[in-house]
Amino acid sequence: MEAGEGASHGSPERVPGAIFRVLAVLYLRRHPDVSRGALARELSRRLAAGGIHYHLRTLRRQLSGAVSTVPPEVETAMRQILRERDGLAREEELERTLAASGIEIPHGDRTSAHVMVERILPLVQLWLHLNPGRSKRFLASRLANDLGRKGCRSTVDSLQGVLAGTKRRVRRAVHCVLLSCLAELGVTSEEEARLRARELQQDIQRSLRWRSFVDASRFRQLCRLWQVRRREPSTRRLAVLLKEQLSRSKLSASVEHLQQTINGDRRRVRYAVLEAMEEVLREQIRNARNVGRSLLTATAREQVEADLGWVPAQPTSSIARRWLAAHPGVSQRQLARRACESLARMGYSSSPNTIQPILGGRRKKTRGFVHRALLELWNGWTARASSSGESKGGLGTPVRNLATSNGKPLLTWREFLRQARGYLASARSPHLVPLLAVRAERLYGIPRAKAEARIRGRKWSRRREHRAKPLGVVDSLPVEWIVADGNGRLGWNDDEITSSWIGQA
C-alpha cells in the first residue's frame, strides 16, 4: 500500500518505539495465530481510517526495531487493538499483564529524548512576559550555561533559534531546564504554566507586540518632528528621554543604542521604542493630540531642518576671525557668549563651551544654526558700521606682532601707549600691563619698568628701576599673545592668558 502524494503521516512528534514494540510482542504472544505482517496490515488499516497513511514496509521496520521512534498515533493504534481484543483498557491492567509475561520496559525508554517545539513555545512566551527587561538572547545564554553544567553542550545561537520556533524538535533537556527557570518565578509545573499562559494571553500578546520589529522610517520621522518642534539638535537628549520612557514600562535600553537608532543606523526598530517615541511627543509637545500633524509651515520647517543639519565649520570660523579683527577689545569667549545670546533669540540653546571651539577653528563641522547666528552678528555689525560711517576695510587675518616686514613698529610709542591705556579699564587679566611692557621693550627699546609705569600713568625714575621685582610669570608667557589688526589697533587674547595662568597655578 503506497501513501498517496500529499497524504498525512501523522504528527511530526515522535515517541520512543520501545513501548510500541513491547505492546506488539504482548499481542503476538497472546495471539500466536497472528503474524507480524498481519499485525502491520491491521495497524495500517486503522491508521488509514484516521487519515494517516503508512507504507507496510515502514510499519514492519517499526515493529522490528529498525526505527527507534514512532509517531504517537502508531502507539495509540496498538493500544486500541489490545483494548478491543484483550480488554486491556487501563494502564494498571496493562502494566500487570506485562509484568506477568516477564516483559519490562527500561525507564529511559518510556520518554523520548526530544519534544516538539510547539510544546515549549508557550513556556518561552510566559517567561519573556514575566521578565520584560530580558531578551530571548539572554534566556538562550542562560539555558546554554545550565545545560553545560549538566553535561549537555549547546550553542547560544542554536538555542535562540529554538526559542524563536525555527526548529521542529527540541531536546527534552532544554524543556526541563526551561521549566526550572519558570519554577524560580513561582510556576511549578508545565500544566500550571499553560494555565497561566491562557489567563495572561492578552498581556502576553501585548508583550510580544512590544518585542516585535517594525520599519524604522516612521520612528525617524517622529524623531525629526521632535527635533524640529523643540529646535533641539542633540539626539542624545532625545535618547535619554526615550530611555526614561522605556524604564517606566520596565524595559531597558542603552542611550548609545537609542542614539544610533535615532541617527538612522538601524533599518528596524522595536515596537516598544516606537510607542515610547510617540509618548515622548505627547508629553513634550503641548496640545499634540495627533503626533503626525504638521506643527510648522513648510517654509519654517525647511528653515529649521537647514539649521539642524551639519555644515562645514570653516566658513563659520572665518566669519569669527573677521569679526574679532574688527573688534580687538572683544575676546573669543565674549564672542561665543554673544553667539549664544543670538541662538537664544532664534529659539536654540547652546553653551559657550560648545561654541568657542567652533569659532576657533577646532571643529570640522557645526550645525547650521551656529553659522546663521554668526552671520546675523556680522550683518548686524556691518549695518551699524554703515549707518555710523565707520570703515569696514582691513578685516583680514590679524597679525601676530606689531612690526612690519622691515622690522619697524606699525605704531609709534605714543600711539602704543594711548591704546594700551585705553584697554586697562576693560582688562580682565592681571598680566596685561606686564605683557605690554615686555612688548614695548622689544619694539621701542624702552626699559620694562619704565614702560609699565608709563602704561599705568605713574612717574618713573632710575632709582626705582633696581627695586622693581622681576616678573617671572611674564617672562614665561609668550608675548605673541598681544596682537594687532590691520588698522594699527592693539589687542590681546585674554582667554589664552587666563587659561595659562590657571594651568601654572
Side-chain angles (χ1 to χ4, degrees):
M1 180 178 62
E2 295 287 345
E5 184 177 358
S8 173
H9 288 77
S11 171
E13 185 177 0
R14 292 296 183 268
V15 297
I19 299 178
F20 167 70
R21 287 188 292 272
V22 165
L23 296 178
V25 170
L26 178 62
Y27 179 78
L28 293 175
R29 284 186 182 182
R30 296 172 70 91
H31 301 274
D33 56 328
V34 179
S35 64
R36 183 179 295 176
L39 179 58
R41 286 190 293 271
E42 178 65 19
L43 287 172
S44 177
R45 183 184 62 81
R46 290 177 178 269
L47 290 173
I52 302 174
H53 302 278
Y54 265 94
H55 197 280
L56 284 176
R57 186 167 52 202
T58 302
L59 291 171
R60 290 195 186 101
R61 294 178 68 242
Q62 292 172 347
L63 288 171
S64 64
V67 181
S68 60
T69 60
V70 298
E73 291 84 0
V74 176
E75 181 181 330
T76 302
M78 190 67 242
R79 289 178 180 272
Q80 184 180 5
I81 293 175
L82 285 172
R83 182 171 62 251
E84 293 179 359
R85 303 287 176 84
D86 297 331
L88 302 177
R90 293 187 299 175
E91 190 69 24
E92 295 80 2
E93 296 176 354
L94 186 59
E95 292 291 340
R96 287 196 300 266
T97 304
L98 290 174
S101 302
I103 302 175
E104 294 183 0
I105 303 176
H107 181 72
D109 294 339
R110 290 181 177 270
T111 57
S112 62
H114 295 80
V115 297
M116 298 305 297
V117 70
E118 290 81 6
R119 188 173 173 182
I120 72 166
L121 287 182
L123 308 181
V124 174
Q125 295 174 0
L126 179 61
W127 190 92
L128 292 175
H129 173 69
L130 298 177
N131 296 272
R134 302 297 185 181
S135 62
K136 281 197 287 286
R137 185 76 177 181
F138 176 86
L139 179 57
S141 177
R142 179 175 177 181
L143 292 177
N145 294 333
D146 293 347
L147 289 172
R149 286 192 290 267
K150 294 183 178 182
C152 301
R153 295 184 179 180
S154 185
T155 63
V156 178
D157 293 336
S158 175
L159 289 173
Q160 190 172 2
V162 169
L163 300 180
T166 59
K167 299 185 178 181
R168 295 180 62 185
R169 294 190 298 169
V170 189
R171 286 186 298 174
R172 187 173 291 275
V174 177
H175 179 261
C176 296
V177 173
L178 185 57
L179 285 176
S180 65
C181 294
L182 286 173
E184 298 176 359
L185 302 174
V187 183
T188 57
S189 63
E190 185 176 1
E191 291 73 17
E192 183 180 354
R194 295 183 180 278
L195 179 61
R196 290 278 299 275
R198 285 194 296 269
E199 293 175 353
L200 301 174
Q201 183 177 4
Q202 294 183 354
D203 296 337
I204 291 176
Q205 293 300 323
R206 189 181 303 111
S207 299
L208 294 177
R209 176 64 172 168
W210 283 349
R211 293 176 180 273
S212 63
F213 285 94
V214 295
D215 187 75
S217 58
R218 173 170 169 77
F219 174 77
R220 287 194 292 269
Q221 291 175 358
L222 296 178
C223 294
R224 199 64 174 173
L225 175 63
W226 185 89
Q227 289 182 287
V228 170
R229 181 65 179 85
R230 298 283 298 180
R231 297 177 181 267
E232 177 63 56
S234 174
T235 58
R236 190 169 186 84
R237 175 174 174 79
L238 179 56
V240 171
L241 292 176
L242 283 175
K243 179 179 175 62
E244 295 175 355
Q245 185 63 38
L246 289 172
S247 63
R248 298 175 187 174
S249 303
K250 299 182 180 180
L251 300 176
S252 60
S254 65
V255 175
E256 289 74 15
H257 176 77
L258 292 172
Q259 195 170 2
Q260 292 175 359
T261 306
I262 296 170
N263 291 333
D265 297 340
R266 299 287 188 274
R267 292 183 301 173
R268 300 188 304 166
V269 64
R270 291 195 181 275
Y271 187 79
V273 179
L274 178 61
E275 280 195 349
M277 185 65 238
E278 293 177 351
E279 189 62 29
V280 167
L281 278 173
R282 294 188 187 98
E283 292 180 0
Q284 295 293 326
I285 302 179
R286 185 175 299 177
N287 298 327
R289 296 182 179 179
N290 182 7
V291 296
R293 65 184 175 89
S294 178
L295 298 175
L296 295 172
T297 62
T299 304
R301 177 186 290 273
E302 292 177 0
Q303 179 63 63
V304 174
E305 289 182 352
D307 287 344
L308 296 179
W310 291 102
V311 296
Q314 193 273 335
T316 306
S317 60
S318 299
I319 295 175
R321 285 194 300 267
R322 296 173 65 191
W323 199 95
L324 290 173
H327 302 77
V330 179
S331 66
Q332 196 177 84
R333 184 71 174 184
Q334 292 172 336
L335 176 58
R337 292 196 183 99
R338 295 189 184 187
C340 291
E341 294 174 358
S342 179
L343 289 176
R345 290 191 295 270
M346 293 163 54
Y348 299 97
S349 63
S350 187
S351 65
N353 293 336
T354 303
I355 301 298
Q356 190 170 355
I358 300 173
L359 304 182
R362 295 189 292 274
R363 295 292 184 269
K364 293 183 179 180
K365 59 182 181 178
T366 182
R367 298 286 183 178
F369 60 80
V370 178
H371 182 73
R372 189 156 68 93
L374 263 293
L375 281 178
E376 289 187 2
L377 287 176
W378 176 259
N379 294 334
W381 175 78
T382 54
R384 289 191 299 272
S386 299
S387 62
S388 60
E390 297 181 7
S391 173
K392 302 190 292 298
L395 298 180
T397 303
V399 297
R400 300 302 298 174
N401 53 56
L402 299 177
T404 59
S405 59
N406 58 4
K408 295 183 179 180
L410 291 174
L411 304 177
T412 64
W413 164 241
R414 291 185 179 277
E415 293 174 345
F416 179 94
L417 185 62
R418 183 170 58 254
Q419 290 194 18
R421 288 176 178 175
Y423 293 146
L424 291 181
S426 60
R428 294 186 294 119
S429 174
H431 310 296
L432 175 64
V433 175
L435 284 171
L436 290 174
V438 173
R439 175 61 73 181
E441 183 180 23
R442 294 185 181 181
L443 292 176
Y444 306 101
I446 300 175
R448 189 184 307 178
K450 178 179 179 181
E452 183 174 348
R454 293 294 302 274
I455 291 172
R456 296 184 184 275
R458 301 173 184 172
K459 293 183 179 181
W460 175 84
S461 64
R462 292 186 178 273
R463 296 179 183 178
R464 302 175 58 183
E465 183 178 2
H466 69 280
R467 292 183 295 176
K469 296 182 180 180
L471 300 174
V473 173
V474 175
D475 293 335
S476 64
L477 294 177
V479 183
E480 286 74 12
W481 285 352
I482 306 176
V483 297
D485 59 15
N487 293 328
R489 288 182 288 186
L490 185 64
W492 69 92
N493 195 329
D494 197 46
D495 291 317
E496 295 183 3
I497 298 174
T498 306
S499 62
S500 177
W501 171 253
I502 294 174
Q504 292 183 12

